[in-house]
Amino acid sequence: MRSTCLHHKHLQKEHPFRTEMAKRLKPQLFVSRLSFFTTNEKLKTLFSPFGEVTEARLVKDPRTQRPKGFGFVTFDSEVEAQNALKAMNGKIVDGRLIFVEVAQARRDEDATS
């Protein structure tokens, strides 16, 4: 017979971070308000203390190839991504206040329009 601890009942609820992360193969974070001088390598270096960064990609203007000031960081595990989100959201990097959140899964209908 298994007993349920009532004061830990809140742990049984699905956390929004987990629900969103479960929808993708690897956990990915969206990082905004980055300096325009940030590079893919610098982005990876910023987030690598929290775990294995499998990809760090800045979004660039297709015409000028200049960064748009936001990007994506993909981690090997959900725990690493969650730790990075907690630690880096609201930090000042290169003189700019950055925001970090769980990247939203792209819907097929959005990608084709």
Side-chain angles (χ1 to χ4, degrees):
M1 186 167 170
R2 209 169 118 194
S3 65
T4 304
C5 182
L6 294 177
H7 70 278
H8 285 117
K9 193 169 183 148
H10 68 281
L11 295 175
Q12 296 171 359
K13 294 180 185 178
E14 273 202 37
H15 192 277
F17 186 86
R18 285 182 191 213
T19 305
E20 196 59 41
M21 289 303 223
K23 293 178 186 173
R24 50 177 89 251
L25 296 173
K26 297 239 181 184
Q28 189 175 65
L29 301 176
F30 174 72
V31 185
S32 60
R33 297 183 45 95
L34 290 165
S35 163
F36 295 108
F37 299 106
T38 302
T39 63
N40 287 333
E41 295 76 29
K42 171 117 188 200
L43 188 60
K44 185 172 185 171
T45 301
L46 277 172
F47 283 85
S48 60
F50 306 101
E52 181 68 32
V53 175
T54 58
E55 182 186 30
R57 177 177 52 90
L58 293 169
V59 176
K60 295 182 180 182
D61 181 289
R63 189 174 56 82
T64 64
Q65 290 302 302
R66 290 188 57 200
K68 288 187 166 190
F70 62 92
F72 297 91
V73 178
T74 307
F75 280 89
D76 206 33
S77 84
E78 180 182 324
V79 172
E80 294 168 348
Q82 192 171 15
N83 289 339
L85 183 142
K86 287 178 184 175
M88 295 299 289
N89 187 37
K91 294 293 181 194
I92 298 195
V93 177
D94 293 332
R96 295 184 56 105
L97 177 69
I98 66 166
F99 295 116
V100 182
E101 57 191 280
V102 175
Q104 297 297 312
R106 205 172 183 182
R107 294 185 190 154
D108 289 336
E109 62 269 15
D110 290 345
T112 58
S113 55

